Amino acid sequence: MKTFCGRANPTTGALDWVEESEEYDYHQEIARSCYADMLHDKDRNEKYYQGIRAAVSRVKARGERVVVLDIGTGTGLLSMMAVTAGADYCYAIEVFKPMATAATCIVERNGFSDKIKVINKHSTEVTVGPDGDMQERANILVTELFDTELIGEGALPSYEHAHMHLVQADCEAVPHRATVYAQLVESDMLWKWSQLQPIEVDGNKLLPPPAVVKCAGAPSVCDIQLSQVPPESFTPLGPICTMFRVDFSKQVSSAAQSYTAQFKAQTSGRAQVVLSWWDIDMDPDGSIVCTMTPSWNYSDPHTYPWRDHWMQSVYFLPAEKNVSEGEELNLIGSHDDYSLWYGLTQNLKMATFRPCCTCQAHLVWTRPRFGELNDEQRTESYVNALRSILKPDSVCLSVSDGSLLPIFAHLLGSKKVRSFISCSQVLHTNSLKHGVQLLGIRPEQLSLADLEGNQISVLMGEPYFSTSLLPWHSLFFWYCRTAVAQLLHPSATILPRAATLYIVAVEFRDLWRIRAPCGTCEGFDVSPMDEMIQRSLDYRESLEAEPHPLWEYPCHALTKPRPVLTFDFTQCVPEQPVNSDGTVRGRCHGVALWMEYQLTEDITVSMGLTKPVSEEGACEWNPHRKQGVFFFRSARETSGDGREDLSYNLTFEPHTGDIKMDFSITEP
């Protein structure tokens, strides 16, 4: 059955009513899942297999029949490992119905149907007894319920319930325990993602609102590939601390708890950020360890196992604190049933509370957006561009979410500045609330009366919109420009004056794994999962690019960056589609796409590559915006000989704001 769904269009700003299948959300979930990434994580798979074999051997040595409970089975991989290791029976629980169906198919294909029962329920709904889902309690508990924060997927409540209702008191657990680590650091790079900092504009210092400075920030974790954060960009103020451990073989509590690590500051500095990760011991002796530690903490970084389903966490302290070398410090790590947070005190009796945003800015701006607003080079580009076009009598209108551009325009001398959305707190803090008029309407509702009878002489935008995911979603600026076209002065200046979509064919070092078929994993045929994912991709997603912060995912450019579509903001959105096609040379995993904005004739800012591609193909990406990635249908582990032609056809559809893209690789 199909139904009409209302969806906000991030490019046009309109509410689109589209006909969708009732399975659409399932297809999206499957297509954008990390199942393939997990199965390509050889280190994870091998450690689980070793731990399961050891647990089965320990139970058999006690003369017991081995009954395994696998919570969150996914493909059924861990259950098949358990049966292969000698388990007598396995109950595999999977709450996501499409995945449970795939697991049943995989179990059948591998010949384990008589030993593995797939149960499509949440583990807390599973019953035990003669007429229940499980005939008896299990004596081995196998799970993979972890996320980057360890407990964010509800691991603690699931374990708590399982020990109370589904497993025996002396059960073996794989993994056996988890350990959470943390390190206190000073990092200007990371701290810029937490707080709005003072900004110099034409001799004026724009100060951040006290409410923002004092705010503890949003409680959500910032999960990133910490291995891509250069060690020279932060200074450790203390050692790597063991914050707490969870023993999964015993009764687990999901109640809120706090733990303290005491240490002396290794050096003087500003305590700003806590870096955190975890590892899991697959056996009681701790001889089989799967660790999430960053690559720069490895003795040999080249042996670092890349994974994207588990990364590392960055936590921002509620406020930075100056610490002195040798000072006694107490790092407090706290958690509830789903999340972690950190605090720093000199007094153990002081309580640390779960951070909560009170200034609203941390709820409106993402962490990368804070970093973008604090980017001095970017600010300089916009200020120089505005300085070159503004006059004292300019009538300015700003179209961007939470932008500081209208404040910049006022500080540069413009007396009439209006903005649809701006940071009123910044205006108030800097006594500029009369310098910028905030409009509480949409662009299409704007009238000449709202402008006091004056036509717009400068229309400006970054462009940045909180609803944008893909680079071309920022073309919403173009639709806003078109909506106010009748209010523009004939000689009005548009900033940016144009945008260009660029592409480059790339070979990823690791990111290709999230789209590569698995085939077999540790000797088991998991191709039904490949087929399920491909069906969901074929539903629609395989024809679309997806957003990724490429600074976290090293890649090698196999072609020169090429401009493929240019959007002229000095003109209205055209009625007819804009098309571009061509051919470049190079076999690759996919194509990276990004926007560059031409602010003035000689000032351009890039949302993608921040430097020219090196002779060796090395890429340096903008860390504040996500780029688009179009993955080819069958990602390759190697790039081949590069003699193939990459053909492309891209079409901008004005009525929908979409960019339809078609890429193909052919031999010349």
Side-chain angles (χ1 to χ4, degrees), residues 201-202 381-398 404-418 435-436 456-461 491-495 599-600:
V201 181
D202 217 32
S381 294
Y382 278 97
V383 169
N384 287 339
L386 287 170
R387 186 184 289 113
S388 70
I389 62 173
L390 291 175
K391 301 175 182 177
D393 60 351
S394 293
V395 178
C396 304
L397 178 65
S398 175
L404 300 179
L405 288 193
I407 302 177
F408 295 170
H410 176 70
L411 292 176
L412 290 170
S414 290
K415 305 302 181 184
K416 298 178 180 179
V417 183
R418 293 170 177 82
V436 178
I456 302 164
S457 56
V458 175
L459 180 68
M460 56 189 175
S491 60
T493 300
I494 312 296
L495 184 152
L599 304 185
T600 63

mmCIF file of all heavy atoms in Angstrom, residues 201-202 381-398 404-418 435-436 456-461 491-495 599-600:
data_model
loop_
_atom_site.group_PDB
_atom_site.id
_atom_site.type_symbol
_atom_site.label_atom_id
_atom_site.label_comp_id
_atom_site.label_asym_id
_atom_site.label_seq_id
_atom_site.Cartn_x
_atom_site.Cartn_y
_atom_site.Cartn_z
ATOM 1 N N VAL A 201 36.194 42.270 13.488
ATOM 2 C CA VAL A 201 35.595 42.763 12.249
ATOM 3 C C VAL A 201 35.930 44.241 12.097
ATOM 4 O O VAL A 201 35.375 45.090 12.806
ATOM 5 C CB VAL A 201 34.067 42.575 12.230
ATOM 6 C CG1 VAL A 201 33.481 43.088 10.917
ATOM 7 C CG2 VAL A 201 33.701 41.120 12.432
ATOM 8 N N ASP A 202 36.861 44.541 11.203
ATOM 9 C CA ASP A 202 37.193 45.932 10.886
ATOM 10 C C ASP A 202 37.534 46.743 12.137
ATOM 11 O O ASP A 202 37.061 47.871 12.320
ATOM 12 C CB ASP A 202 36.024 46.581 10.146
ATOM 13 C CG ASP A 202 36.496 47.551 9.067
ATOM 14 O OD1 ASP A 202 37.565 47.309 8.488
ATOM 15 O OD2 ASP A 202 35.791 48.539 8.816
ATOM 16 N N SER A 381 37.303 36.155 4.583
ATOM 17 C CA SER A 381 36.820 36.140 3.199
ATOM 18 C C SER A 381 35.486 36.865 3.081
ATOM 19 O O SER A 381 35.285 37.687 2.175
ATOM 20 C CB SER A 381 36.676 34.696 2.705
ATOM 21 O OG SER A 381 37.921 34.050 2.621
ATOM 22 N N TYR A 382 34.562 36.588 4.005
ATOM 23 C CA TYR A 382 33.250 37.229 3.945
ATOM 24 C C TYR A 382 33.342 38.719 4.251
ATOM 25 O O TYR A 382 32.667 39.539 3.610
ATOM 26 C CB TYR A 382 32.285 36.538 4.910
ATOM 27 C CG TYR A 382 31.673 35.291 4.335
ATOM 28 C CD1 TYR A 382 32.197 34.031 4.621
ATOM 29 C CD2 TYR A 382 30.573 35.358 3.489
ATOM 30 C CE1 TYR A 382 31.641 32.880 4.084
ATOM 31 C CE2 TYR A 382 30.008 34.220 2.948
ATOM 32 C CZ TYR A 382 30.548 32.975 3.248
ATOM 33 O OH TYR A 382 29.993 31.847 2.706
ATOM 34 N N VAL A 383 34.160 39.085 5.225
ATOM 35 C CA VAL A 383 34.312 40.504 5.575
ATOM 36 C C VAL A 383 34.916 41.272 4.407
ATOM 37 O O VAL A 383 34.459 42.374 4.054
ATOM 38 C CB VAL A 383 35.157 40.666 6.852
ATOM 39 C CG1 VAL A 383 35.539 42.133 7.059
ATOM 40 C CG2 VAL A 383 34.392 40.151 8.060
ATOM 41 N N ASN A 384 35.947 40.721 3.771
ATOM 42 C CA ASN A 384 36.559 41.394 2.619
ATOM 43 C C ASN A 384 35.573 41.527 1.468
ATOM 44 O O ASN A 384 35.546 42.554 0.777
ATOM 45 C CB ASN A 384 37.800 40.623 2.158
ATOM 46 C CG ASN A 384 38.969 40.776 3.117
ATOM 47 O OD1 ASN A 384 39.022 41.721 3.908
ATOM 48 N ND2 ASN A 384 39.911 39.848 3.065
ATOM 49 N N ALA A 385 34.769 40.490 1.252
ATOM 50 C CA ALA A 385 33.780 40.552 0.179
ATOM 51 C C ALA A 385 32.733 41.615 0.481
ATOM 52 O O ALA A 385 32.366 42.420 -0.409
ATOM 53 C CB ALA A 385 33.122 39.190 -0.002
ATOM 54 N N LEU A 386 32.237 41.657 1.714
ATOM 55 C CA LEU A 386 31.243 42.664 2.081
ATOM 56 C C LEU A 386 31.819 44.072 2.000
ATOM 57 O O LEU A 386 31.161 45.008 1.521
ATOM 58 C CB LEU A 386 30.726 42.393 3.498
ATOM 59 C CG LEU A 386 29.783 41.202 3.668
ATOM 60 C CD1 LEU A 386 29.556 40.899 5.144
ATOM 61 C CD2 LEU A 386 28.457 41.457 2.966
ATOM 62 N N ARG A 387 33.047 44.220 2.446
ATOM 63 C CA ARG A 387 33.679 45.539 2.424
ATOM 64 C C ARG A 387 33.753 46.091 0.997
ATOM 65 O O ARG A 387 33.626 47.303 0.774
ATOM 66 C CB ARG A 387 35.079 45.460 3.034
ATOM 67 C CG ARG A 387 35.754 46.824 3.173
ATOM 68 C CD ARG A 387 37.180 46.699 3.681
ATOM 69 N NE ARG A 387 37.231 46.293 5.085
ATOM 70 C CZ ARG A 387 37.702 45.136 5.511
ATOM 71 N NH1 ARG A 387 38.157 44.241 4.625
ATOM 72 N NH2 ARG A 387 37.730 44.856 6.790
ATOM 73 N N SER A 388 33.933 45.205 0.027
ATOM 74 C CA SER A 388 34.095 45.649 -1.357
ATOM 75 C C SER A 388 32.787 46.063 -2.018
ATOM 76 O O SER A 388 32.803 46.720 -3.060
ATOM 77 C CB SER A 388 34.758 44.541 -2.183
ATOM 78 O OG SER A 388 33.865 43.445 -2.360
ATOM 79 N N ILE A 389 31.654 45.694 -1.424
ATOM 80 C CA ILE A 389 30.373 45.988 -2.091
ATOM 81 C C ILE A 389 29.457 46.900 -1.282
ATOM 82 O O ILE A 389 28.526 47.492 -1.844
ATOM 83 C CB ILE A 389 29.600 44.685 -2.398
ATOM 84 C CG1 ILE A 389 29.240 43.935 -1.110
ATOM 85 C CG2 ILE A 389 30.407 43.789 -3.339
ATOM 86 C CD1 ILE A 389 28.328 42.743 -1.332
ATOM 87 N N LEU A 390 29.710 47.049 0.018
ATOM 88 C CA LEU A 390 28.789 47.812 0.861
ATOM 89 C C LEU A 390 29.048 49.311 0.789
ATOM 90 O O LEU A 390 30.172 49.772 0.631
ATOM 91 C CB LEU A 390 28.898 47.348 2.314
ATOM 92 C CG LEU A 390 28.384 45.942 2.627
ATOM 93 C CD1 LEU A 390 28.663 45.582 4.079
ATOM 94 C CD2 LEU A 390 26.894 45.837 2.326
ATOM 95 N N LYS A 391 27.962 50.058 0.932
ATOM 96 C CA LYS A 391 28.002 51.516 1.033
ATOM 97 C C LYS A 391 27.169 51.927 2.246
ATOM 98 O O LYS A 391 26.308 51.162 2.699
ATOM 99 C CB LYS A 391 27.439 52.146 -0.238
ATOM 100 C CG LYS A 391 28.189 51.765 -1.510
ATOM 101 C CD LYS A 391 27.502 52.334 -2.740
ATOM 102 C CE LYS A 391 28.223 51.904 -4.019
ATOM 103 N NZ LYS A 391 27.533 52.395 -5.235
ATOM 104 N N PRO A 392 27.405 53.115 2.767
ATOM 105 C CA PRO A 392 26.618 53.552 3.937
ATOM 106 C C PRO A 392 25.111 53.520 3.703
ATOM 107 O O PRO A 392 24.340 53.265 4.627
ATOM 108 C CB PRO A 392 27.117 54.978 4.182
ATOM 109 C CG PRO A 392 28.515 54.971 3.639
ATOM 110 C CD PRO A 392 28.467 54.086 2.434
ATOM 111 N N ASP A 393 24.681 53.770 2.466
ATOM 112 C CA ASP A 393 23.243 53.800 2.193
ATOM 113 C C ASP A 393 22.714 52.471 1.642
ATOM 114 O O ASP A 393 21.580 52.397 1.155
ATOM 115 C CB ASP A 393 22.900 54.932 1.218
ATOM 116 C CG ASP A 393 23.614 54.770 -0.131
ATOM 117 O OD1 ASP A 393 24.500 53.888 -0.235
ATOM 118 O OD2 ASP A 393 23.272 55.515 -1.068
ATOM 119 N N SER A 394 23.536 51.414 1.707
ATOM 120 C CA SER A 394 23.093 50.105 1.210
ATOM 121 C C SER A 394 21.906 49.611 2.025
ATOM 122 O O SER A 394 21.872 49.731 3.255
ATOM 123 C CB SER A 394 24.231 49.077 1.305
ATOM 124 O OG SER A 394 25.276 49.396 0.410
ATOM 125 N N VAL A 395 20.942 49.040 1.339
ATOM 126 C CA VAL A 395 19.808 48.383 1.982
ATOM 127 C C VAL A 395 20.079 46.882 1.886
ATOM 128 O O VAL A 395 19.991 46.289 0.807
ATOM 129 C CB VAL A 395 18.477 48.747 1.301
ATOM 130 C CG1 VAL A 395 17.312 48.000 1.971
ATOM 131 C CG2 VAL A 395 18.260 50.253 1.350
ATOM 132 N N CYS A 396 20.434 46.272 3.029
ATOM 133 C CA CYS A 396 20.920 44.894 3.023
ATOM 134 C C CYS A 396 19.858 43.934 3.567
ATOM 135 O O CYS A 396 19.158 44.246 4.532
ATOM 136 C CB CYS A 396 22.176 44.770 3.889
ATOM 137 S SG CYS A 396 23.516 45.881 3.413
ATOM 138 N N LEU A 397 19.788 42.778 2.950
ATOM 139 C CA LEU A 397 18.930 41.699 3.432
ATOM 140 C C LEU A 397 19.761 40.428 3.489
ATOM 141 O O LEU A 397 20.405 40.053 2.506
ATOM 142 C CB LEU A 397 17.723 41.497 2.515
ATOM 143 C CG LEU A 397 16.790 40.341 2.912
ATOM 144 C CD1 LEU A 397 16.121 40.618 4.252
ATOM 145 C CD2 LEU A 397 15.746 40.090 1.831
ATOM 146 N N SER A 398 19.744 39.753 4.642
ATOM 147 C CA SER A 398 20.517 38.527 4.821
ATOM 148 C C SER A 398 19.589 37.321 4.802
ATOM 149 O O SER A 398 18.547 37.321 5.457
ATOM 150 C CB SER A 398 21.280 38.570 6.150
ATOM 151 O OG SER A 398 21.937 37.343 6.386
ATOM 152 N N LEU A 404 26.029 35.491 11.059
ATOM 153 C CA LEU A 404 26.597 36.730 11.581
ATOM 154 C C LEU A 404 26.826 37.752 10.476
ATOM 155 O O LEU A 404 27.264 38.871 10.765
ATOM 156 C CB LEU A 404 27.915 36.433 12.301
ATOM 157 C CG LEU A 404 27.831 35.474 13.500
ATOM 158 C CD1 LEU A 404 29.218 35.258 14.105
ATOM 159 C CD2 LEU A 404 26.871 35.985 14.557
ATOM 160 N N LEU A 405 26.519 37.408 9.222
ATOM 161 C CA LEU A 405 26.757 38.338 8.111
ATOM 162 C C LEU A 405 26.035 39.670 8.283
ATOM 163 O O LEU A 405 26.612 40.728 7.997
ATOM 164 C CB LEU A 405 26.352 37.695 6.780
ATOM 165 C CG LEU A 405 27.237 36.572 6.224
ATOM 166 C CD1 LEU A 405 26.876 36.298 4.769
ATOM 167 C CD2 LEU A 405 28.714 36.892 6.341
ATOM 168 N N PRO A 406 24.757 39.702 8.717
ATOM 169 C CA PRO A 406 24.114 41.010 8.879
ATOM 170 C C PRO A 406 24.813 41.876 9.928
ATOM 171 O O PRO A 406 24.859 43.102 9.790
ATOM 172 C CB PRO A 406 22.682 40.657 9.304
ATOM 173 C CG PRO A 406 22.728 39.243 9.756
ATOM 174 C CD PRO A 406 23.815 38.592 8.975
ATOM 175 N N ILE A 407 25.383 41.240 10.965
ATOM 176 C CA ILE A 407 26.125 42.004 11.972
ATOM 177 C C ILE A 407 27.413 42.539 11.364
ATOM 178 O O ILE A 407 27.797 43.694 11.597
ATOM 179 C CB ILE A 407 26.412 41.124 13.197
ATOM 180 C CG1 ILE A 407 25.098 40.596 13.784
ATOM 181 C CG2 ILE A 407 27.193 41.904 14.252
ATOM 182 C CD1 ILE A 407 25.272 39.657 14.953
ATOM 183 N N PHE A 408 28.081 41.699 10.556
ATOM 184 C CA PHE A 408 29.280 42.166 9.854
ATOM 185 C C PHE A 408 28.941 43.381 8.989
ATOM 186 O O PHE A 408 29.686 44.372 8.961
ATOM 187 C CB PHE A 408 29.860 41.060 8.970
ATOM 188 C CG PHE A 408 30.392 39.858 9.701
ATOM 189 C CD1 PHE A 408 30.742 38.707 9.001
ATOM 190 C CD2 PHE A 408 30.555 39.860 11.079
ATOM 191 C CE1 PHE A 408 31.234 37.587 9.660
ATOM 192 C CE2 PHE A 408 31.045 38.749 11.750
ATOM 193 C CZ PHE A 408 31.382 37.613 11.038
ATOM 194 N N ALA A 409 27.826 43.307 8.268
ATOM 195 C CA ALA A 409 27.434 44.393 7.368
ATOM 196 C C ALA A 409 27.223 45.688 8.145
ATOM 197 O O ALA A 409 27.636 46.775 7.713
ATOM 198 C CB ALA A 409 26.174 44.014 6.601
ATOM 199 N N HIS A 410 26.586 45.584 9.294
ATOM 200 C CA HIS A 410 26.363 46.785 10.107
ATOM 201 C C HIS A 410 27.688 47.354 10.612
ATOM 202 O O HIS A 410 27.903 48.580 10.585
ATOM 203 C CB HIS A 410 25.454 46.447 11.280
ATOM 204 C CG HIS A 410 25.246 47.590 12.223
ATOM 205 N ND1 HIS A 410 24.508 48.714 11.891
ATOM 206 C CD2 HIS A 410 25.709 47.808 13.501
ATOM 207 C CE1 HIS A 410 24.511 49.564 12.905
ATOM 208 N NE2 HIS A 410 25.230 49.026 13.897
ATOM 209 N N LEU A 411 28.588 46.482 11.091
ATOM 210 C CA LEU A 411 29.879 46.954 11.592
ATOM 211 C C LEU A 411 30.718 47.582 10.485
ATOM 212 O O LEU A 411 31.582 48.419 10.754
ATOM 213 C CB LEU A 411 30.643 45.795 12.236
ATOM 214 C CG LEU A 411 30.048 45.229 13.534
ATOM 215 C CD1 LEU A 411 30.854 44.027 14.012
ATOM 216 C CD2 LEU A 411 30.001 46.301 14.627
ATOM 217 N N LEU A 412 30.453 47.187 9.244
ATOM 218 C CA LEU A 412 31.194 47.750 8.107
ATOM 219 C C LEU A 412 30.562 49.040 7.590
ATOM 220 O O LEU A 412 31.005 49.584 6.580
ATOM 221 C CB LEU A 412 31.274 46.716 6.982
ATOM 222 C CG LEU A 412 32.186 45.508 7.275
ATOM 223 C CD1 LEU A 412 32.012 44.421 6.224
ATOM 224 C CD2 LEU A 412 33.654 45.942 7.341
ATOM 225 N N GLY A 413 29.503 49.507 8.254
ATOM 226 C CA GLY A 413 28.978 50.837 7.937
ATOM 227 C C GLY A 413 27.595 50.905 7.355
ATOM 228 O O GLY A 413 27.062 52.010 7.181
ATOM 229 N N SER A 414 26.971 49.776 7.043
ATOM 230 C CA SER A 414 25.630 49.824 6.468
ATOM 231 C C SER A 414 24.611 50.150 7.560
ATOM 232 O O SER A 414 24.617 49.557 8.637
ATOM 233 C CB SER A 414 25.276 48.484 5.817
ATOM 234 O OG SER A 414 26.049 48.298 4.650
ATOM 235 N N LYS A 415 23.731 51.092 7.251
ATOM 236 C CA LYS A 415 22.768 51.575 8.245
ATOM 237 C C LYS A 415 21.447 50.817 8.197
ATOM 238 O O LYS A 415 20.702 50.818 9.172
ATOM 239 C CB LYS A 415 22.505 53.072 8.027
ATOM 240 C CG LYS A 415 23.762 53.934 8.025
ATOM 241 C CD LYS A 415 24.549 53.791 9.331
ATOM 242 C CE LYS A 415 25.790 54.682 9.321
ATOM 243 N NZ LYS A 415 26.618 54.483 10.541
ATOM 244 N N LYS A 416 21.150 50.191 7.073
ATOM 245 C CA LYS A 416 19.865 49.511 6.925
ATOM 246 C C LYS A 416 20.110 48.033 6.622
ATOM 247 O O LYS A 416 20.346 47.658 5.474
ATOM 248 C CB LYS A 416 19.035 50.160 5.816
ATOM 249 C CG LYS A 416 18.686 51.626 6.100
ATOM 250 C CD LYS A 416 17.903 52.241 4.951
ATOM 251 C CE LYS A 416 17.575 53.708 5.256
ATOM 252 N NZ LYS A 416 16.836 54.337 4.124
ATOM 253 N N VAL A 417 20.099 47.231 7.671
ATOM 254 C CA VAL A 417 20.370 45.806 7.531
ATOM 255 C C VAL A 417 19.192 45.029 8.112
ATOM 256 O O VAL A 417 18.746 45.293 9.240
ATOM 257 C CB VAL A 417 21.668 45.392 8.271
ATOM 258 C CG1 VAL A 417 21.959 43.906 8.042
ATOM 259 C CG2 VAL A 417 22.845 46.252 7.810
ATOM 260 N N ARG A 418 18.697 44.077 7.342
ATOM 261 C CA ARG A 418 17.598 43.232 7.801
ATOM 262 C C ARG A 418 17.978 41.773 7.601
ATOM 263 O O ARG A 418 18.733 41.438 6.689
ATOM 264 C CB ARG A 418 16.306 43.560 7.055
ATOM 265 C CG ARG A 418 15.765 44.955 7.384
ATOM 266 C CD ARG A 418 14.629 45.350 6.471
ATOM 267 N NE ARG A 418 14.078 46.651 6.835
ATOM 268 C CZ ARG A 418 14.623 47.811 6.452
ATOM 269 N NH1 ARG A 418 15.715 47.824 5.714
ATOM 270 N NH2 ARG A 418 14.057 48.952 6.825
ATOM 271 N N GLY A 435 20.939 47.869 15.203
ATOM 272 C CA GLY A 435 21.675 47.916 13.948
ATOM 273 C C GLY A 435 21.167 46.936 12.912
ATOM 274 O O GLY A 435 21.421 47.088 11.716
ATOM 275 N N VAL A 436 20.473 45.905 13.363
ATOM 276 C CA VAL A 436 19.939 44.891 12.458
ATOM 277 C C VAL A 436 18.474 44.652 12.814
ATOM 278 O O VAL A 436 18.153 44.361 13.971
ATOM 279 C CB VAL A 436 20.721 43.563 12.552
ATOM 280 C CG1 VAL A 436 20.109 42.512 11.626
ATOM 281 C CG2 VAL A 436 22.194 43.774 12.214
ATOM 282 N N ILE A 456 15.939 46.466 -2.136
ATOM 283 C CA ILE A 456 17.144 45.811 -1.626
ATOM 284 C C ILE A 456 18.306 46.081 -2.568
ATOM 285 O O ILE A 456 18.222 45.811 -3.772
ATOM 286 C CB ILE A 456 16.922 44.295 -1.493
ATOM 287 C CG1 ILE A 456 15.747 44.000 -0.563
ATOM 288 C CG2 ILE A 456 18.181 43.594 -0.993
ATOM 289 C CD1 ILE A 456 15.230 42.578 -0.677
ATOM 290 N N SER A 457 19.399 46.598 -2.018
ATOM 291 C CA SER A 457 20.579 46.846 -2.860
ATOM 292 C C SER A 457 21.648 45.770 -2.672
ATOM 293 O O SER A 457 22.491 45.577 -3.550
ATOM 294 C CB SER A 457 21.175 48.226 -2.565
ATOM 295 O OG SER A 457 21.499 48.356 -1.196
ATOM 296 N N VAL A 458 21.611 45.057 -1.512
ATOM 297 C CA VAL A 458 22.557 43.968 -1.267
ATOM 298 C C VAL A 458 21.794 42.788 -0.655
ATOM 299 O O VAL A 458 21.225 42.909 0.441
ATOM 300 C CB VAL A 458 23.700 44.382 -0.320
ATOM 301 C CG1 VAL A 458 24.582 43.180 0.002
ATOM 302 C CG2 VAL A 458 24.533 45.501 -0.935
ATOM 303 N N LEU A 459 21.766 41.693 -1.377
ATOM 304 C CA LEU A 459 21.193 40.451 -0.853
ATOM 305 C C LEU A 459 22.357 39.512 -0.546
ATOM 306 O O LEU A 459 23.157 39.203 -1.435
ATOM 307 C CB LEU A 459 20.257 39.808 -1.869
ATOM 308 C CG LEU A 459 19.595 38.498 -1.423
ATOM 309 C CD1 LEU A 459 18.610 38.751 -0.291
ATOM 310 C CD2 LEU A 459 18.898 37.809 -2.591
ATOM 311 N N MET A 460 22.444 39.059 0.704
ATOM 312 C CA MET A 460 23.624 38.277 1.081
ATOM 313 C C MET A 460 23.229 37.010 1.842
ATOM 314 O O MET A 460 22.175 36.923 2.467
ATOM 315 C CB MET A 460 24.567 39.125 1.937
ATOM 316 C CG MET A 460 23.912 39.704 3.181
ATOM 317 S SD MET A 460 24.984 40.892 4.017
ATOM 318 C CE MET A 460 23.885 41.483 5.307
ATOM 319 N N GLY A 461 24.111 36.039 1.750
ATOM 320 C CA GLY A 461 23.927 34.780 2.469
ATOM 321 C C GLY A 461 25.237 34.033 2.494
ATOM 322 O O GLY A 461 26.126 34.296 1.680
ATOM 323 N N SER A 491 20.114 47.412 -9.839
ATOM 324 C CA SER A 491 21.577 47.240 -9.771
ATOM 325 C C SER A 491 22.001 46.521 -8.489
ATOM 326 O O SER A 491 23.144 46.660 -8.046
ATOM 327 C CB SER A 491 22.265 48.609 -9.846
ATOM 328 O OG SER A 491 21.857 49.434 -8.760
ATOM 329 N N ALA A 492 21.107 45.741 -7.906
ATOM 330 C CA ALA A 492 21.399 45.064 -6.642
ATOM 331 C C ALA A 492 22.575 44.100 -6.785
ATOM 332 O O ALA A 492 22.776 43.472 -7.832
ATOM 333 C CB ALA A 492 20.167 44.318 -6.152
ATOM 334 N N THR A 493 23.337 43.979 -5.704
ATOM 335 C CA THR A 493 24.450 43.036 -5.639
ATOM 336 C C THR A 493 23.994 41.792 -4.884
ATOM 337 O O THR A 493 23.385 41.898 -3.815
ATOM 338 C CB THR A 493 25.656 43.659 -4.917
ATOM 339 O OG1 THR A 493 26.083 44.822 -5.635
ATOM 340 C CG2 THR A 493 26.803 42.665 -4.835
ATOM 341 N N ILE A 494 24.288 40.641 -5.456
ATOM 342 C CA ILE A 494 23.962 39.365 -4.813
ATOM 343 C C ILE A 494 25.260 38.737 -4.330
ATOM 344 O O ILE A 494 26.207 38.583 -5.101
ATOM 345 C CB ILE A 494 23.255 38.396 -5.781
ATOM 346 C CG1 ILE A 494 22.112 39.096 -6.524
ATOM 347 C CG2 ILE A 494 22.750 37.171 -5.017
ATOM 348 C CD1 ILE A 494 20.993 39.576 -5.646
ATOM 349 N N LEU A 495 25.306 38.380 -3.038
ATOM 350 C CA LEU A 495 26.498 37.756 -2.456
ATOM 351 C C LEU A 495 26.073 36.509 -1.699
ATOM 352 O O LEU A 495 25.318 36.619 -0.738
ATOM 353 C CB LEU A 495 27.212 38.737 -1.525
ATOM 354 C CG LEU A 495 28.540 38.274 -0.912
ATOM 355 C CD1 LEU A 495 29.441 39.479 -0.627
ATOM 356 C CD2 LEU A 495 28.359 37.472 0.379
ATOM 357 N N LEU A 599 31.858 34.689 -4.018
ATOM 358 C CA LEU A 599 31.296 35.823 -3.286
ATOM 359 C C LEU A 599 31.343 37.085 -4.128
ATOM 360 O O LEU A 599 30.347 37.802 -4.255
ATOM 361 C CB LEU A 599 32.057 36.029 -1.971
ATOM 362 C CG LEU A 599 32.122 34.824 -1.017
ATOM 363 C CD1 LEU A 599 32.802 35.227 0.288
ATOM 364 C CD2 LEU A 599 30.733 34.269 -0.741
ATOM 365 N N THR A 600 32.505 37.356 -4.679
ATOM 366 C CA THR A 600 32.692 38.500 -5.578
ATOM 367 C C THR A 600 33.516 38.015 -6.770
ATOM 368 O O THR A 600 33.787 36.820 -6.902
ATOM 369 C CB THR A 600 33.432 39.646 -4.857
ATOM 370 O OG1 THR A 600 34.744 39.202 -4.482
ATOM 371 C CG2 THR A 600 32.670 40.079 -3.600
#
